[in-house]
Amino acid sequence: MLRRHVKTTGWFLYLSIKVRQAMPVFPRISMKPEVTEYLKSVYINKEVLTVVGPEEAERRFQNLLTCLSHPPSYTCVRASTHLAPLEEIHHQLGEELKKICSLSAQEASVHILPHPQVKDVLLLPVDGPRCVQQLSSEVVVGAQCANAVLRGANVFAPGILGSPKYMKVGDVVSVFSDLEGRCTRGATNYQGKKVFVGNGVAKRDRSSIFCPGEPARGVGVQMVDPLYRSPSFDGVLPSLVFLQNLPSVVVGHVLDPHPGERILDMCAAPGGKTCHIAALMGDQGEVVALDKIRSKIAQIQENAQILRLQSIKAFCFDGTKAVSSDSTQTSEGPPFPAESFDRVLLDAPCSGLGQRPNMSITWSLKEICSYQPLQRKLFHTAVRLLKKGGVLVYSTCTITLAENEEQVAWALHTFPRLTLQLQKPHIGAEGMLGAGLSSEQLHLLQRFSPELSWDQTQTTSLPCRADGDTIGFFIAKFMKT
């Protein structure tokens, strides 16, 4: 297998890790033809064709489809630098992971790399895709479970859909993902469309996994030989490291919260960005977190407690209704008077097409296109709640124009008082052509596009930076003048 070198200057480190082979281990992402055609129209639009030509546009689109089904080549964790220095967390994490590797008979050498520009991020190179031989004994899991396995998780019992008829604790099995969601729970021999994700050891008997009337809990299969090997962070330094995609960490820094400010996270669950905002403020000020699903509020509160953050106040409330018509209202909870917040984060509900790995998208085109109106309702509320001179950051984890650059163009037209702002750090690409924005405006946007690093890795011998091999993500920063 080839070796890949990441060369950087100044802050950057020289790394050497295994590069992915150009030949994919499993197929490109599976989706309905109408969705594929829709995405193709996005990535091969007239503005793109004018700049790069049809052949290059088509190649980039095909690379994107391949990349989405594979995990990023780095696992990213956010260090709780409000509790301890990065160097200390780095050391403690290394020691913990060495213990885990020794217990599971894996190679004890653990590479942990500080990010050169994002000062509270640690990166762990992922080894894969690896050559793993499939076994005759098969366990079938749901697509979401398989996606987690590809990023280092074990198989938890609730994710298991089918297993060998007489599977018992200690059996070595191959784990497959059900690509079409058609495997009947409790199946013993599934012949539908599936894809191999690695081998593991059964930690539960079949009878206990599919016991009627009692939901299965805990690890069902411990992965010992996965296609992609990366550390499992289950229970590892829970107050000091938080598993989070790199662009999601960048959002908090782009928002740039300051101690003493009042900040709103409009769609906050599960609370990773909320907690990061509070940590960046030194837990001094007020971070209001909203989510319309009550069970998710408990998750935000639990994460805040684990990370020892006191400045977070979480409320179960619909963000589209968060502005009060009564300017004299004084209660601490929603709805709030207009211009109540110094900064607002609108990490909007979206189609999530940038999530990786994602081997199968079963949504219809109608479902994918349903998010734009909701995002605009939330945007209206966000602008009203923002103080004059305040900062609004809009972000999504999707790759469409309609939910990203087109929303920026709409916002600038709808709200003349909003102006685009420079983002720091800016480690992704600029905005995508196709929404009619100027080159200056596109330069101020930040789009993380998964296909970029695959393009570099597989078609040339150029160095590849971790910044490019992330989930698909989009960030825009506005100021209310």
Side-chain angles (χ1 to χ4, degrees):
M1 188 175 285
L2 300 173
R3 304 289 291 183
R4 175 173 62 192
H5 296 275
V6 181
K7 183 178 180 181
T8 56
T9 59
W11 295 98
F12 287 76
L13 304 172
Y14 286 80
L15 316 176
S16 180
I17 65 172
K18 292 182 179 179
V19 68
R20 298 197 174 124
Q21 295 172 329
M23 180 178 64
V25 174
F26 39 78
R28 296 180 311 172
I29 188 169
S30 171
M31 61 182 77
K32 295 180 179 180
E34 61 177 1
V35 176
T36 303
E37 287 304 309
Y38 169 69
L39 283 181
K40 189 170 184 177
S41 71
V42 170
Y43 275 78
I44 308 182
N45 65 67
K46 291 182 180 179
E47 285 190 59
V48 171
L49 288 174
T50 300
V51 174
V52 303
E55 291 185 5
E56 175 64 13
E58 177 69 27
R59 185 185 62 77
R60 290 183 180 182
F61 176 65
Q62 296 302 326
N63 282 342
L64 169 68
L65 297 184
T66 299
C67 289
L68 288 175
S69 63
H70 293 255
S73 58
Y74 295 84
T75 295
C76 174
V77 295
R78 172 167 56 79
S80 298
T81 51
H82 65 290
L83 297 178
L86 181 67
E87 295 76 10
E88 181 181 330
I89 297 173
H90 188 158
H91 174 74
Q92 288 192 44
L93 180 59
E95 294 301 310
E96 287 294 315
L97 294 180
K98 285 178 184 177
K99 292 177 186 176
I100 294 172
C101 290
S102 62
L103 290 174
S104 59
Q106 296 180 19
E107 183 182 347
S109 173
V110 179
H111 297 287
I112 305 176
L113 314 164
H115 194 282
Q117 290 174 275
V118 189
K119 299 308 180 184
D120 52 359
V121 161
L122 296 172
L123 298 169
L124 291 83
V126 174
D127 181 15
R130 305 167 60 249
C131 295
V132 182
Q133 184 174 357
Q134 298 179 22
L135 308 174
S136 58
S137 186
E138 299 181 1
V139 166
V140 180
V141 302
Q144 293 303 315
C145 178
N147 292 341
V149 168
L150 289 173
R151 297 202 73 170
N154 290 309
V155 176
F156 284 79
I160 298 177
L161 301 176
S163 75
K165 189 173 183 179
Y166 301 106
M167 186 178 77
K168 61 184 184 300
V169 174
D171 286 354
V172 182
V173 296
S174 282
V175 178
F176 288 80
S177 173
D178 172 21
L179 286 184
E180 298 176 316
R182 296 184 178 180
C183 181
T184 304
R185 185 166 177 79
T188 58
N189 187 18
Y190 179 61
Q191 297 300 320
K193 193 174 181 181
K194 57 191 177 183
V195 65
F196 175 64
V197 296
N199 296 329
V201 176
K203 306 303 288 185
R204 298 178 66 110
D205 296 333
R206 174 186 167 86
S207 58
S208 68
I209 293 173
F210 301 113
C211 180
E214 184 179 340
R217 300 183 183 278
V219 175
V221 177
Q222 182 179 349
M223 299 302 297
V224 295
D225 205 8
L227 278 182
Y228 286 89
R229 191 185 296 284
S230 56
S232 172
F233 282 84
D234 186 27
V236 176
L237 302 179
S239 65
L240 291 182
V241 294
F242 190 91
L243 200 61
Q244 194 168 21
N245 288 302
L246 178 60
S248 297
V249 182
V250 171
V251 165
H253 288 283
V254 169
L255 186 66
D256 191 26
H258 290 72
E261 292 183 331
R262 193 180 191 211
I263 297 179
L264 175 64
D265 187 351
M266 290 188 68
C267 307
K273 297 180 184 69
T274 310
C275 291
H276 189 207
I277 293 168
L280 289 173
M281 296 167 62
D283 207 24
Q284 300 175 40
E286 183 181 2
V287 183
V288 176
L290 302 183
D291 201 275
K292 62 191 298 185
I293 301 176
R294 186 165 299 279
S295 60
K296 292 185 177 182
I297 296 300
Q299 193 174 12
I300 297 171
Q301 293 169 334
E302 180 182 356
N303 281 329
Q305 184 176 9
I306 291 172
L307 297 173
R308 305 177 200 169
L309 295 166
Q310 305 294 323
S311 58
I312 295 171
K313 297 178 180 178
F315 301 94
C316 181
F317 202 82
D318 184 348
T320 64
K321 303 174 182 178
V323 182
S324 172
S325 57
D326 181 3
S327 60
T328 63
Q329 180 179 330
T330 57
S331 63
E332 68 173 10
F336 306 101
E339 300 190 347
S340 293
F341 294 92
D342 299 288
R343 298 172 197 266
V344 175
L345 171 60
L346 174 51
D347 185 52
C350 68
S351 56
L353 297 179
Q355 293 290 358
R356 295 174 62 197
N358 195 348
M359 290 176 283
S360 176
I361 292 176
T362 58
W363 311 312
S364 67
L365 181 57
K366 182 179 180 181
E367 289 174 304
I368 289 172
C369 295
S370 67
Y371 288 93
Q372 190 186 67
L374 172 60
Q375 292 160 354
R376 292 186 177 184
K377 286 182 180 179
L378 290 163
F379 216 109
H380 272 282
T381 303
V383 173
R384 290 183 64 192
L385 287 172
L386 187 63
K387 293 179 180 179
K388 296 181 182 71
V391 169
L392 166 61
V393 170
Y394 173 80
S395 63
T396 73
C397 58
T398 196
I399 56 177
T400 70
L401 275 173
E403 298 172 79
N404 296 329
E405 287 85 356
E406 285 183 13
Q407 295 292 53
V408 171
W410 166 83
L412 293 174
H413 174 76
T414 306
F415 307 103
R417 295 170 65 187
L418 290 185
T419 57
L420 283 173
Q421 300 295 302
L422 183 67
Q423 299 183 36
K424 293 182 180 181
H426 196 299
I427 60 178
E430 64 180 28
M432 183 178 175
L433 293 165
L437 295 170
S438 69
S439 58
E440 292 80 7
Q441 291 169 329
L442 293 175
H443 182 69
L444 292 172
L445 304 177
Q446 191 161 192
R447 177 183 271 256
F448 292 81
S449 300
E451 75 274 20
L452 294 179
S453 62
W454 276 82
D455 179 24
Q456 293 171 332
T457 304
Q458 295 187 9
T459 62
T460 76
S461 57
L462 294 174
C464 171
R465 280 177 52 190
D467 299 340
D469 199 1
T470 69
I471 65 169
F473 206 88
F474 178 83
I475 310 173
K477 183 178 182 178
F478 303 86
M479 176 176 286
K480 184 177 180 180
T481 60

